[in-house]
């Protein structure tokens, strides 16, 4: 089974029809003690490009460290927006990147992954159509910005499952 750490309470992982063990805020990722591979989405607000507007949280720093540790020990994926300072802070490097628009996300949203003991499946082919436009972050609510498409959730699960 794959374990999802730090899922949003409205995450599309809850719509995926696969056996996954989801830890949202209510279940508290810190309580996860298993050895299954993980897909971790620690809160990005204080690490992303707009971090100057975020409330700093020691708990979120500890949660990021916990997630990185689980990815290193169990194998899996840590996901963050491109440019996240989390990678430098913890001395890790992203080793996979893509734009979420290829999975149907309404904005381009460049994303970085730190993977360990995972074979990432080939990314889907993305076709640009004449007149195609993407939303900007300003046009989206924070909830919309945080929600990954179901197809991306499935892609990450499938990659970790190999």
């Amino acid at each position: 089974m794959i374990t999802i750490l730090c899922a949003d309470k409205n995450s599309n992982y809850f719509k995926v029809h696969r056996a996954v063990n989801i830890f949202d805020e209510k279940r508290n990722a810190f309580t996860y003690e298993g050895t299954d591979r993980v897909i971790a989405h620690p809160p990005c607000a204080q690490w992303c490009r707009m971090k100057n507007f975020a409330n700093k949280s020691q708990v979120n720093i500890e949660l990021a460290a916990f997630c990185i540790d689980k990815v290193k020990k169990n194998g899996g994926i840590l996901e963050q927006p491109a440019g996240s300072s989390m990678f430098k802070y913890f001395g890790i490097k992203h080793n996979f990147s893509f734009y979420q628009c290829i999975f149907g996300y309404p904005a381009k949203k460049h994303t970085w992954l730190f993977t360990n003991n995972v074979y990432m499946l080939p990314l889907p082919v993305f076709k640009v159509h004449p007149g195609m436009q993407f939303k900007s972050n300003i046009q989206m609510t924070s909830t919309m910005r945080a929600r990954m498409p179901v197809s991306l959730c499935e892609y990450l699960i499938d990659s970790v499952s190999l």
Side-chain angles (χ1 to χ4, degrees):
M1 182 177 296
I2 305 302
T3 297
I4 312 299
L5 298 176
C6 307
D8 183 78
K9 67 180 179 182
N10 298 312
S11 171
N12 280 329
Y13 281 112
F14 291 106
K15 296 178 183 175
V16 171
H17 300 289
R18 294 197 177 75
V20 290
N21 186 15
I22 302 174
F23 283 78
D24 57 7
E25 190 173 6
K26 186 177 179 182
R27 279 194 73 198
N28 188 358
F30 285 121
T31 65
Y32 175 67
E33 297 177 347
T35 57
D36 297 328
R37 288 182 172 199
V38 299
I39 300 170
H41 301 277
C44 63
Q46 71 188 53
W47 308 104
C48 70
R49 291 180 182 160
M50 297 179 70
K51 62 188 169 206
N52 294 335
F53 300 101
N55 294 322
K56 305 295 185 236
S57 165
Q58 184 61 36
V59 171
N60 284 347
I61 293 171
E62 293 166 9
L63 188 55
F66 177 84
C67 288
I68 291 167
D69 183 62
K70 287 297 178 187
V71 170
K72 286 180 174 180
K73 286 181 180 174
N74 298 10
I77 298 170
L78 177 107
E79 180 270 343
Q80 284 286 291
S84 170
S85 61
M86 181 185 295
F87 295 89
K88 184 176 180 180
Y89 185 89
F90 289 103
I92 61 173
K93 294 187 185 227
H94 72 281
N95 51 15
F96 198 81
S97 75
F98 56 90
Y99 288 91
Q100 287 193 28
C101 61
I102 65 176
F103 293 95
Y105 189 79
K108 288 182 181 177
K109 194 172 185 183
H110 193 192
T111 300
W112 286 354
L113 304 180
F114 167 68
T115 67
N116 181 39
N117 200 23
V118 170
Y119 171 77
M120 296 304 296
L121 293 168
L123 291 166
V125 175
F126 180 68
K127 295 182 180 170
V128 177
H129 305 286
M132 182 180 270
Q133 295 183 349
F134 297 101
K135 290 187 176 188
S136 71
N137 282 338
I138 297 169
Q139 296 171 301
M140 300 170 67
T141 65
S142 60
T143 302
M144 289 171 63
R145 286 192 303 269
R147 190 161 304 135
M148 294 187 332
V150 172
S151 59
L152 176 51
C153 296
E154 292 170 339
Y155 170 79
L156 295 176
I157 292 167
D158 289 346
S159 292
V160 170
S161 297
L162 293 177

